[in-house]
């Protein structure tokens, strides 16, 4: 419609311009002819006037001559006066004629100027009409687009309302599913808690029975040894003296082909487990006063950072630099589980009851693992690299971090269960007393802090001018009775403090290499102490 309207307007404008051109051209010729006629008429009038004047002069002269002759009048004088009068009239007529010619020229020029202005105004009018037609067409198009946009807006508004209704319905469904999921999770945690309690009771019962059996076997062995009194002497009983103090090196042996990073005693036998940079976990029997290899546990792709026995002594857990943790059976040395999921090296791994375990990594996360399903059940973001862990029960554990903080966790909650405890330096290791009341923290500023977990504060600080923490993963340990603590130093010595504060002894091998001690571990039923260092050695310290 807009195109049709524009076409007929352009057609009318073109026709008007053509008619104006035709009429103007015709009028131009008429004006030219008219000017020529005026010029010709003016010439003819002038000639006619001249002829009349000439005729009058001649008639006057002839009549004057005859009259003069009759009356004797001066004809020449009269003729001159008439001629002068006629000449004056002729001059006046010529001036008037000149003025008329001048006005005629001005009028002709005015006609031409007005015609030119008329042409310009007609051309301007045509342009305005064409612009008006274009604007009218554009206005029609814009109105059509506006109507389309209004229709689209209404459609979009309806769709938005429908989408909002669908979103509200989906949110309600999501809330219902989340509530149901929460209920199911709570129910699952309750079932798992019951299973864990049952399993812990069974493990405690098994451990107590095994411990009683070992004690009875030891008593029978003591009674069967011949002697004057039929019993072991006081010196022979020192090996099983829990409150005794190690006095020197019982023996030393090469444990690994590289640095030794971890050591742990078996809870039921005189078996020592060590882990080193050579990617192996090794078992050693040290019960006969000498070192006898009991097995090599392989499967790790990088160095071992920590080793841990379960409560029954049948399984051993190791954390490795290859971002994984592995578990082997002690009896047949078979690899049972490989737990991968961290993005950084795993620095600590501990059993969490009998069915779960927890790992801490350099990637600033802690992961809870289900041993039955061999999968990660939960990841906790700590915000800092974790150097060590201790477990307080089947649900709770404590972690020590590079950002100088101790954090408390519970598998039943998502975040920390208590306020963080800041320490003066980054934490290298943790150890928990058997009664679960005190936490031992080795700090990189060459101090050892004793925390009372009932008050969540530091109650004692152990330090010595000669004691230097040898590495970022240096491990310290409580004695079996909880009355002493042991820590390895950067000069190869082992410092032993009384829990009440004073330094009791410093163990140092005079023939040693002086390499930094990385970890120590007490025998669970005696005062025997094992330490490992960066010189590939494992040393057994005792009071024998």
């Amino acid at each position: 419609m807009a195109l049709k309207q524009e076409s007929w307007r352009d057609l009318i404008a073109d026709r008007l311009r053509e008619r104006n051109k035709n009429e103007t051209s015709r009028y131009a010729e008429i004006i030219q002819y008219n000017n020529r006629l005026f010029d010709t008429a003016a010439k003819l009038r002038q000639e006619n006037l001249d002829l009349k004047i000439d005729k009058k002069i001649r008639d006057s002269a002839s009549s004057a001559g005859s009259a003069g002759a009759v009356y004797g009048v001066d004809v020449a004088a009269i003729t001159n006066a008439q001629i002068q009068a006629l000449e004056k009239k002729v001059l006046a007529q010529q001036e008037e004629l000149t003025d008329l010619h001048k006005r005629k020229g001005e009028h002709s020029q005015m006609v031409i100027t007005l015609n030119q202005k008329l042409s310009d105004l007609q051309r301007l009018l045509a342009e305005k009409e064409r612009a008006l037609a274009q604007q009218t067409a554009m206005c029609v198009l814009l109105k059509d687009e506006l109507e389309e946009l209004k229709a689209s807006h209404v459609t979009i508004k309806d769709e938005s309302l429908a989408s909002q209704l669908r979103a509200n319905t989906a949110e309600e469904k999501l809330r219902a599913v989340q509530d149901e999921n929460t209920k199911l999770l709570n129910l699952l945690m309750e079932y798992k808690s019951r299973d864990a309690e049952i399993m812990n009771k069974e493990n405690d019962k098994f451990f107590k029975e095994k411990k009683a059996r070992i004690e009875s076997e030891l008593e029978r062995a003591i009674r069967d040894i011949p002697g004057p009194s039929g019993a072991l002497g006081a010196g022979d009983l020192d090996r099983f003296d829990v409150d005794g103090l190690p006095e020197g090196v019982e023996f030393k042996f090469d444990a690994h082909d590289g640095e030794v990073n971890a050591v742990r005693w078996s809870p039921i036998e005189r078996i020592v487990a060590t882990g080193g940079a050579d990617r192996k976990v090794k078992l050693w029997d040290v019960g006969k006063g000498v070192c006898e290899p009991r097995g090599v546990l392989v499967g790790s792709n990088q160095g071992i950072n920590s080793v841990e026995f379960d409560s029954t002594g049948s399984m051993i857990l190791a954390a490795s630099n290859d971002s994984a943790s592995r578990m082997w059976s002690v009896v047949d040395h078979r690899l049972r589980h490989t737990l991968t999921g961290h993005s950084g090296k795993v620095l600590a791994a501990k059993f969490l009851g009998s069915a779960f375990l927890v790992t801490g990594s350099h990637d600033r996360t802690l992961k809870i693992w289900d041993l039955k399903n061999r999968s990660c059940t939960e990841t906790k973001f700590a915000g800092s690299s974790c150097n060590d862990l201790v477990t307080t029960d089947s649900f709770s554990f404590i972690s020590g971090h590079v950002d100088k903080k101790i954090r408390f966790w519970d598998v039943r909650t998502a975040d920390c269960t208590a306020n963080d405890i800041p320490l003066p330096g980054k934490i290298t290791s943790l150890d928990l007393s058997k009664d679960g009341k005190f936490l031992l923290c080795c700090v990189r500023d060459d101090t050892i802090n004793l925390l009372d977990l009932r008050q969540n504060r530091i109650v004692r600080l152990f330090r010595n001018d000669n004691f230097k923490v040898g590495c970022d993963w240096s491990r310290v340990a409580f004695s079996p009775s909880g009355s002493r603590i042991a820590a390895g130093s950067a000069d190869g010595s082992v410092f032993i403090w009384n829990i009440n504060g004073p330094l009791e002894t410093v163990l140092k091998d005079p023939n040693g290499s002086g390499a930094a001690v990385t970890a120590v571990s007490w025998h669970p039923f005696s005062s025997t102490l094992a330490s490992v260092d960066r010189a590939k050695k494992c040393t057994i310290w005792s009071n024998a």
Side-chain angles (χ1 to χ4, degrees), residues 147-202:
E147 293 298 329
E148 292 178 358
L149 289 175
K150 286 182 178 179
S152 300
H153 176 69
V154 173
T155 304
I156 292 172
K157 189 174 181 180
D158 295 339
E159 291 179 355
S160 175
L161 292 175
S163 299
Q164 187 66 34
L165 292 174
R166 288 195 297 271
N168 293 335
T169 305
E171 286 181 358
E172 292 177 357
K173 291 182 179 178
L174 177 61
R175 282 194 293 270
V177 171
Q178 287 177 344
D179 294 339
E180 185 179 359
N181 187 29
T182 303
K183 292 179 182 178
L184 292 174
L185 284 176
N186 293 333
L187 187 61
L188 178 61
M189 294 302 298
E190 184 178 354
Y191 287 153
K192 286 187 175 181
S193 175
R194 292 177 184 175
D195 293 341
E197 290 177 359
I198 294 172
M199 187 65 70
N200 290 335
K201 289 179 181 179
E202 292 178 355

Side-chain angles (χ1 to χ4, degrees), residues 52-353:
K52 287 180 178 181
I53 292 171
D54 187 75
K55 182 178 180 296
K56 285 182 179 182
I57 290 172
R58 288 179 182 180
D59 292 340
S60 298
S62 60
S63 62
S66 61
V70 174
Y71 298 104
V73 182
D74 190 359
V75 179
I78 296 171
T79 304
N80 289 333
Q82 292 177 349
I83 290 171
Q84 289 178 357
L86 291 173
E87 286 179 353
K88 288 180 180 180
K89 288 182 180 180
V90 168
L91 289 175
Q93 292 292 328
Q94 286 180 348
E95 289 177 0
E96 185 179 356
L97 181 63
T98 302
D99 186 50
L100 290 174
H101 279 295
K102 185 177 180 181
R103 288 183 182 179
K104 175 188 173 184
E106 290 177 355
H107 291 165
S108 299
Q109 184 64 36
M110 189 178 296
V111 169
I112 294 171
T113 303
L114 291 175
N115 286 332
Q116 185 66 34
K117 288 183 179 180
L118 178 61
S119 300
D120 294 339
L121 290 173
Q122 287 177 345
R123 184 170 60 256
L124 182 62
L125 177 62
E127 292 176 356
K128 294 290 186 181
E129 288 178 349
R130 186 164 50 254
L132 178 61
Q134 293 176 355
Q135 295 295 329
T136 304
M138 187 177 294
C139 181
V140 173
L141 291 175
L142 290 176
K143 286 182 179 180
D144 294 339
E145 291 182 1
L146 180 61
E147 293 298 329
E148 292 178 358
L149 289 175
K150 286 182 178 179
S152 300
H153 176 69
V154 173
T155 304
I156 292 172
K157 189 174 181 180
D158 295 339
E159 291 179 355
S160 175
L161 292 175
S163 299
Q164 187 66 34
L165 292 174
R166 288 195 297 271
N168 293 335
T169 305
E171 286 181 358
E172 292 177 357
K173 291 182 179 178
L174 177 61
R175 282 194 293 270
V177 171
Q178 287 177 344
D179 294 339
E180 185 179 359
N181 187 29
T182 303
K183 292 179 182 178
L184 292 174
L185 284 176
N186 293 333
L187 187 61
L188 178 61
M189 294 302 298
E190 184 178 354
Y191 287 153
K192 286 187 175 181
S193 175
R194 292 177 184 175
D195 293 341
E197 290 177 359
I198 294 172
M199 187 65 70
N200 290 335
K201 289 179 181 179
E202 292 178 355
N203 289 336
D204 292 341
K205 181 179 179 182
F206 174 78
F207 178 73
K208 289 178 181 178
E209 291 176 353
K210 194 161 189 176
K211 183 178 179 181
R213 185 170 65 254
I214 291 173
E215 290 176 353
S216 63
E217 289 177 357
L218 289 174
E219 290 176 358
R220 283 199 306 272
I222 293 172
R223 286 196 299 268
D224 292 341
I225 295 175
S229 61
L232 289 175
D236 296 329
L237 288 173
D238 285 343
R239 183 181 300 277
F240 303 100
D241 182 10
V242 175
D243 293 327
L245 187 67
E247 298 174 356
V249 178
E250 183 176 355
F251 58 89
K252 178 185 287 190
F253 58 92
D254 290 330
H256 290 268
D257 296 331
E259 295 182 0
V260 189
N261 298 326
V263 62
R264 187 70 66 182
W265 285 90
S266 170
I268 59 173
E269 300 177 274
R270 288 183 64 82
I271 299 293
V272 173
T274 58
D278 59 357
R279 304 176 296 178
K280 298 175 183 177
V281 176
K282 294 186 177 182
L283 302 177
W284 310 91
D285 187 349
V286 296
K288 300 178 181 178
V290 294
C291 171
E292 294 182 0
R294 286 285 297 270
V296 179
L297 311 180
V298 296
S300 177
N301 298 316
Q302 293 187 29
I304 303 297
N305 292 316
S306 73
V307 292
E308 183 77 14
F309 284 95
D310 68 344
S311 59
T312 65
S314 61
M315 305 297 290
I316 187 168
L317 176 65
S320 172
N321 280 334
D322 63 356
S323 307
S325 301
R326 292 171 177 83
M327 191 168 67
W328 295 266
S329 60
V330 176
V331 176
D332 55 8
H333 307 157
R334 289 180 59 188
L335 179 63
R336 299 295 182 179
H337 302 295
T338 299
L339 307 174
T340 60
H342 284 289
S343 60
K345 57 186 178 180
V346 183
L347 299 171
K350 296 293 175 69
F351 287 96
L352 191 62

